[in-house]
Amino acid sequence: MTAGEQLRAEKKAWRLVQLLVGLVGYGTALTFLVGSSLGASSWSVLAEGLSLRTGMSFGWATNLTAVVVLLCWIPLRELPGLGTFLNVVLVGTSADLAALFVPPPTSLVQQIGYLLLGLLMLTFSDAVYLGARFGSGPRDGLMTGAVRLSGGKPIWLVRTAIELVVLTAGWLLGGTVGLGTLLIALLMGPLVQQFLRVTTVRLAADG
């Protein structure tokens, strides 16, 4: 749906609440993943690296990255929705707020716990906000736009290329790459797909 169609579609109140819960949960999940020190997603590795190099908070680095990626939508001719803009604002902000309440892990067991909890929260929250059907986040739009401009290259190939470039940049900046990075790369897609089956809001236009 276009941005206008998203706003005109039914169940707006429920969908808006679901969108906000998903985005806040997503940002909170990033705090657990980064806090585990066992590796996070490629984009979080980049944000962590930027945070270390610039002195800005992880959340602000996440928001800044999202803004830059969103600007890349212009030549890609991607159309943002309400969820796109709220993603830019809320994910990083929620990560910073969660960091005020989530204590650093004190043992390997707790690190693993943070990693697993963060992974489940990340995938479920991603499905929750996408299921609200207010548009994709900046990073997902970058992928779909790149797929279209690539002349129909497979989604997995384009997504993998983007993730590798982002991960390498983050690692060179000092971001943490580890077991969590591998787990997220392997499980993110399948888990989000499963969760979307129960989080996607059904609309009359679906038939």
Side-chain angles (χ1 to χ4, degrees), residues 121-137:
M121 286 184 64
L122 185 74
T123 52
F124 182 72
S125 298
D126 194 32
V128 167
Y129 98 74
L130 288 175
R133 304 177 74 168
F134 274 113
S136 62

Side-chain angles (χ1 to χ4, degrees), residues 22-106:
L23 292 174
V24 171
Y26 195 99
T28 303
L30 296 181
T31 296
F32 280 103
L33 289 170
V34 174
S36 75
S37 298
L38 295 176
S41 68
S42 58
W43 289 100
S44 293
V45 172
L46 177 60
E48 184 184 10
L50 287 173
S51 176
L52 292 172
R53 293 289 184 175
T54 63
M56 71 176 70
S57 70
F58 171 78
W60 274 107
T62 299
N63 287 344
L64 177 61
T65 302
V67 170
V68 172
V69 173
L70 188 57
L71 291 175
C72 294
W73 281 33
I74 298 174
L76 294 176
R77 298 180 181 178
E78 287 293 298
L79 298 176
L82 176 63
T84 310
F85 293 112
L86 289 180
N87 183 298
V88 172
V89 175
L90 291 180
V91 170
T93 304
S94 300
D96 272 354
L97 288 175
L100 299 176
F101 301 97
V102 177
T106 56

Side-chain angles (χ1 to χ4, degrees), residues 85-160:
F85 293 112
L86 289 180
N87 183 298
V88 172
V89 175
L90 291 180
V91 170
T93 304
S94 300
D96 272 354
L97 288 175
L100 299 176
F101 301 97
V102 177
T106 56
S107 66
L108 179 59
V109 172
Q110 195 173 3
Q111 286 180 269
I112 295 174
Y114 273 28
L115 173 61
L116 296 178
L117 176 61
L119 176 60
L120 286 175
M121 286 184 64
L122 185 74
T123 52
F124 182 72
S125 298
D126 194 32
V128 167
Y129 98 74
L130 288 175
R133 304 177 74 168
F134 274 113
S136 62
R139 300 158 191 83
D140 292 324
L142 177 65
M143 176 194 67
T144 55
V147 168
R148 189 178 64 255
L149 289 185
S150 70
K153 291 287 193 302
I155 291 177
W156 69 266
L157 180 61
V158 175
R159 179 65 178 262
T160 300

